[in-house]
Amino acid sequence: MTKRIMHIAEVGLSVKDLPRSVAFYQEVLGLETVRAYPTIVFLKVGELDSPLGRGGHPQLLVLFDRQVQPDIALTTLDHIAFEIPLEHFQAERERLQQLGLEVSERIWRGEYAWLGARSLFLDDPDGNNVELIARDPNAANEENTS
């Protein structure tokens, strides 16, 4: 089997009490906040020695406030994100579609433009969201195709 994944880039968890959970991960595990929004907080787990990491995206734990209905267009709730090389992005999209999987694409822009990336999203057999993300500093200049 061909290895397609470089490493885990991000894990997302929904939490009952966002401030309490952020405090736990900061104070008990020593994670630092990278970005914080009212209902989503990005915590740095470690550096990534990869195109995504060198572009400013560290390995992340993302905490989502479970009390708030997520905006499906913006969130990747209950998910795991794997980095893939940009040069494999289109081939991966085509391969996944050929397997009969429903795949959507997102180009990160606006308040998420700091990611400098594009992502493919699909569900695993249990409905968990899987993201394949590739560093692409030019992505913000393109239109979303999902």
Side-chain angles (χ1 to χ4, degrees):
M1 177 181 261
T2 303
K3 183 177 180 197
R4 294 177 168 84
I5 303 301
M6 296 169 70
H7 53 257
I8 294 174
E10 181 176 295
V11 173
L13 299 175
S14 61
V15 297
K16 293 179 184 177
D17 184 330
L18 187 60
R20 183 185 70 188
S21 292
V22 170
F24 170 83
Y25 284 101
Q26 288 176 330
E27 295 167 14
V28 176
L29 299 179
L31 304 184
E32 68 180 77
T33 298
V34 174
R35 299 252 189 244
Y37 303 97
T39 61
I40 305 170
V41 177
F42 294 82
L43 298 163
K44 180 179 172 181
V45 175
E47 296 296 336
L48 290 176
D49 183 20
S50 68
L52 195 61
R54 289 186 291 277
H57 185 304
Q59 194 170 46
L60 295 170
L61 170 64
V62 185
L63 302 177
F64 297 90
D65 186 338
R66 187 178 292 172
Q67 308 297 322
V68 178
Q69 179 65 32
D71 179 349
I72 300 304
L74 296 177
T75 186
T76 52
L77 183 60
D78 294 331
H79 83 288
I80 188 164
F82 298 101
E83 185 174 2
I84 62 172
L86 179 60
E87 60 269 18
H88 297 170
F89 190 86
Q90 281 309 111
E92 276 302 290
R93 181 184 182 115
E94 292 168 11
R95 184 185 70 81
L96 295 167
Q97 289 172 330
Q98 288 173 356
L99 291 172
L101 297 168
E102 186 175 326
V103 179
S104 63
E105 182 174 345
R106 177 166 176 79
I107 297 171
W108 297 97
R109 54 174 54 97
E111 66 183 312
Y112 298 101
W114 61 273
L115 291 167
R118 62 178 62 239
S119 296
L120 297 172
F121 293 94
L122 60 144
D123 288 342
D124 75 6
D126 290 314
N128 297 303
N129 191 257
V130 176
E131 176 183 4
L132 302 179
I133 185 169
R135 170 80 175 140
D136 184 353
N138 299 315
N141 299 326
E142 297 179 27
E143 294 295 319
N144 275 321
T145 58
S146 48

